[in-house]
Amino acid sequence: MSPSTRILLALVAGLVIGIMLAGFAPQTVDPAVSIARPLGQAWLNGLQMTIVPLVFALLVTGVAATAEAAQAGRLAARAVGPYLLVRACSATAAPFLTPLFLDIAPLPAESAAALRAALAGTETMPAAPAIGDFLAGIVPANVLKASADSNFLSMIVFALIFAFAIMRIDEDLRVLLTRFFSAVRDAMLVVIGWVLWIGPVGVFALAFVVGAKAGGGAFHALIHYILIVSAVGLVVSLVAYPLAVIGGRLRLGHYVRAGLPTQAVAISTQSSLASLPAMLAGARAMGVPVATAGVTLPLAVAILRATGPAMNFAVAIYVAKWFGVPLNAATLAAGALVAMLTSLGSVSLPGTVSFVGAISPVCATIGAPVAPLGLLVAVETMPDIVRTLGNVMWDLATTVTLARGQRVSEDEADTIVEQI
């Protein structure tokens, strides 16, 4: 049984047992909660303790990979700019789409209130200050203090400056530092793997408290969350289709048929990296030369991740709305920037692995609490499927667009589709 399945089952079990205990033995709820709440909080703390070193290491290695890709050749250099532009547009879409969907289908006030009361550690982070103070505070006077205060925007600025400085030093030293932060990144992912291994215990404890305090409304709230965040990812994903048709001058049906095998792999693995062989076959089916797809697709898997900024930011906005955190233009702009940057170096693995690490900085930037993420990670499977599907279709769409003028004829490509 996969870790995500075990965590999901623990979530359902915790909610059901908490609801039943509140219904049949209400006098035992408070003693049981007094035990379960610290247990769940300890597990959440285990996830949070990896965030600062993980985000810093991901940014350094992500910038290094992007810089190396830009220097690897003309085609790679041409691809980096559009990939970063897509990521910026993705992050910018979330502040418009998420409130829109929440206006169309709002979370019932009673469910939101019950969940707020049930979750511990929901103190909001400091919201973005006035624009003048905000701009002055972007550059940290003390990066360690900024990290300790969860001022992730300042920490990210320092990490970017540090990463670009690494690109200017002697090659041997640059390689040494890049390998060091790659090791830090991999070590933090191992720690996260250990924490997720005991995740069913922590999630059960968190869900038990929510079920006992919020009742059946917890199920409705989690389903509502899945639908809203998945809807944001779906809209971003669908933009890949007109890009392939207009930018790549490809027939819609041809693009859809060539992408189906890749989508099947993406659904089963929830990993863009694991979908790469299928994407290479799909690009070949669309007439993209192997020499071109062999450069652009691995680069897209490493850098593009088109749905990541939008869906990560959508989660943070959803939590902020859930807990009544006011959001203004400056806060949303800062959140979009952090959402774009923190997903730059994220790993192409199932979203459960990087969920808290990728979204906590965004929550902290806009003043939303991070405690709900320990509960939401348990239902990440469905949004992560949408996330991966969108990523692979964007990878294919950008590849066929970059290869425009180099493709073989569509009749020849149709023959390749039939063969795969």
Side-chain angles (χ1 to χ4, degrees), residues 1-10 196-197 200:
M1 186 182 299
S2 68
S4 58
T5 301
R6 292 191 299 115
I7 289 174
L8 180 60
L9 291 176
L196 289 176
W197 187 81

Side-chain angles (χ1 to χ4, degrees), residues 109-258:
E110 60 275 13
S111 296
L115 286 168
R116 285 196 298 269
L119 284 167
T122 54
E123 299 83 2
T124 58
M125 310 301 293
I131 187 66
D133 295 335
F134 170 74
L135 293 174
I138 287 178
V139 179
N142 185 331
V143 68
L144 296 179
K145 185 176 185 300
S147 301
D149 293 341
S150 297
N151 187 349
F152 282 99
L153 183 56
S154 296
M155 189 202 74
I156 287 169
V157 168
F158 174 77
L160 290 174
I161 294 172
F162 182 77
F164 283 118
I166 289 177
M167 298 300 105
R168 302 299 298 271
I169 64 177
D170 181 76
E171 182 179 359
D172 291 340
L173 296 175
R174 179 171 71 247
V175 171
L176 177 64
L177 280 174
T178 303
R179 287 174 61 86
F180 170 77
F181 283 106
S182 296
V184 172
R185 175 198 64 197
D186 293 345
M188 289 300 101
L189 291 175
V190 170
V191 173
I192 291 173
W194 290 342
V195 176
L196 289 176
W197 187 81
I198 61 172
V201 177
V203 169
F204 176 88
L206 291 172
F208 173 82
V209 174
V210 171
K213 295 291 187 178
F219 280 106
H220 179 270
L222 289 172
I223 293 172
H224 182 267
Y225 159 80
I226 292 171
L227 293 176
I228 294 294
V229 174
S230 297
V232 173
L234 181 61
V235 171
V236 174
S237 302
L238 290 176
V239 180
Y241 290 81
L243 174 65
V245 172
I246 299 171
R249 295 178 183 173
L250 198 68
R251 290 179 302 183
L252 179 60
H254 189 73
Y255 174 69
V256 171
R257 284 184 290 116

Side-chain angles (χ1 to χ4, degrees), residues 301-329:
V301 169
I303 297 175
L304 181 53
R305 301 188 188 91
T307 60
M311 295 186 71
N312 290 351
F313 199 9
V315 174
I317 294 172
Y318 187 97
V319 173
K321 295 286 187 179
W322 180 1
F323 285 87
V325 177
L327 300 175
N328 55 39

